[in-house]
């Protein structure tokens, strides 16, 4: 077990660090302090997530490769929220919606080093960011921490902690694009995926929630493993506008491994468990093409699959969904675990 760091460049005259967590076996994770972003996840020598080579690409791009998303992941409709009778106008960075915390979200902030721990069975890194009152329009200051832990069993754990000074919606997730092929010139549509979910949330043309529906008899039934492409019928009214999957699935509870992603090309399997009730399945349908990745490959549509474990999207504005308001002084906590193995 070991951790090391190095310079990754400078942003706004501040140094950006790259931290490397290595379990000395099969798993190595690289994280940069801009956006507390996962830059690379190497399993058995193969990188399994999309990322950029240089800092400028992360600053200039809105792909959210590997980024920590907050204060609220996903879309908030009409770019406003109402808390205790007071309206707050939010940053509108996707039409009239606030997406992933707005123009000034957590993904573009410099996260400060807090601590690192090297143990016999695991190594961890803790970073923090204090979000000021009314940043992107959200009420209250929020003190945020994230803890990344890599252990001897080839598992990455991500823990999120946040405490607001005023009642505020909080939903934090990670936006890694997984590609387990060992070759980023190939898309992920032949990856097999299992999501233990009886229900998903239908979306309107702005990708905002409409209603909860059953997956049975629809392209959204991933209760048994199947290739992502198998039922991805782009003539389906829920897939036509988004050019594929970009939908929330309501996870069945309890389940030790509710999400399983596999590449049969490499035999690499990723099992995800989470404290969160929802996972957003996004297949990089609208990923900008032609961007240069870490090893010189160019971005293409369907190049990575995001499995964003989080709270219900737009919950604060949708009466049919439970809201995500964290009371002043209370602590938000979320944990997602990513276990890599060879089948």
């Amino acid at each position: 077990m070991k951790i090391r760091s190095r310079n990754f460049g400078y942003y706004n005259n501040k140094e950006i660090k790259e931290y490397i967590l290595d379990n000395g076996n099969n798993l190595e994770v690289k994280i940069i302090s801009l956006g507390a972003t996962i830059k690379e996840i190497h399993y058995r020598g193969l990188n399994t997530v999309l990322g950029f080579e240089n800092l400028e690409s992360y600053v200039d791009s809105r792909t959210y490769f590997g980024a920590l998303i907050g204060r609220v992941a996903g879309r908030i409709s009409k770019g406003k929220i109402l808390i205790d009778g007071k309206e707050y106008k939010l940053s509108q960075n996707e039409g009239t919606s606030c997406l992933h915390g707005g123009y000034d979200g957590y993904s573009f902030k410099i996260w400060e080093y807090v601590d690192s721990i090297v143990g016999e069975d695991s190594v961890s890194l803790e970073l923090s960011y204090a979000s000021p009152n009314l940043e992107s329009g959200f009420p209250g200051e929020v003190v945020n921490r994230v803890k990344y832990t890599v252990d001897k069993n080839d598992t990455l754990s991500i823990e999120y902690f946040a405490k607001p000074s005023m009642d505020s919606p909080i939903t934090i997730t990670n936006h890694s694009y997984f590609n387990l092929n060992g070759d980023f010139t190939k898309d992920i549509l032949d990856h097999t995926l299992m999501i233990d979910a009886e229900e998903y949330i239908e979306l309107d043309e702005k990708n905002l929630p409409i209603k909860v529906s059953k997956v049975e008899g629809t392209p959204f039934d991933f209760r048994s493993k199947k290739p992502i492409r198998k039922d991805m019928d782009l003539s389906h009214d829920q897939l036509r506008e988004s050019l594929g999957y970009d939908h929330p699935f309501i996870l069945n509870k309890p389940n030790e491994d509710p999400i399983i992603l596999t590449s049969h090309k490499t035999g690499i399997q990723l099992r995800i468990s989470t404290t969160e009730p929802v996972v957003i399945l996004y297949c990089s349908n609208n990923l900008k093409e032609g961007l240069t990745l870490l090893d010189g490959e160019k971005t293409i549509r369907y190049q990575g699959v995001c499995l964003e474990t989080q709270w219900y999207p737009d919950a604060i504005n949708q009466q049919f969904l439970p809201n995500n308001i964290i009371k002043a002084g209370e602590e938000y906590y979320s944990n997602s675990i990513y276990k890599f193995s060879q089948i």
Side-chain angles (χ1 to χ4, degrees), residues 35 53 73 102 107 109 118 141 174 188 206 210 226 336:
E53 181 180 10
S107 308
K109 301 301 179 181
V118 178
E141 179 186 27
N174 177 268
I188 47 77
K206 293 183 178 180
I210 301 172
K226 67 178 181 181
S336 292

Side-chain angles (χ1 to χ4, degrees), residues 169 185 239 250 337:
T185 66
L239 298 174
I250 301 174
I337 297 172

Side-chain angles (χ1 to χ4, degrees), residues 75 94 99-100 175 200-204 206-208 220 232 238-239 241-249 279-286 306 308 313:
R75 295 168 179 86
E94 188 186 70
L99 173 65
H100 293 335
H175 206 286
Y200 78 106
I201 299 175
E202 292 194 33
L203 306 174
D204 67 12
K206 293 183 178 180
N207 278 350
L208 296 168
F220 298 88
M232 200 176 78
Q238 277 294 300
L239 298 174
E241 291 289 337
S242 58
L243 300 177
Y245 296 107
D246 190 6
H247 290 75
F249 291 74
V279 62
I280 310 295
L281 168 63
Y282 173 58
C283 296
S284 51
N285 320 332
N286 294 297
C306 300
E308 304 158 60

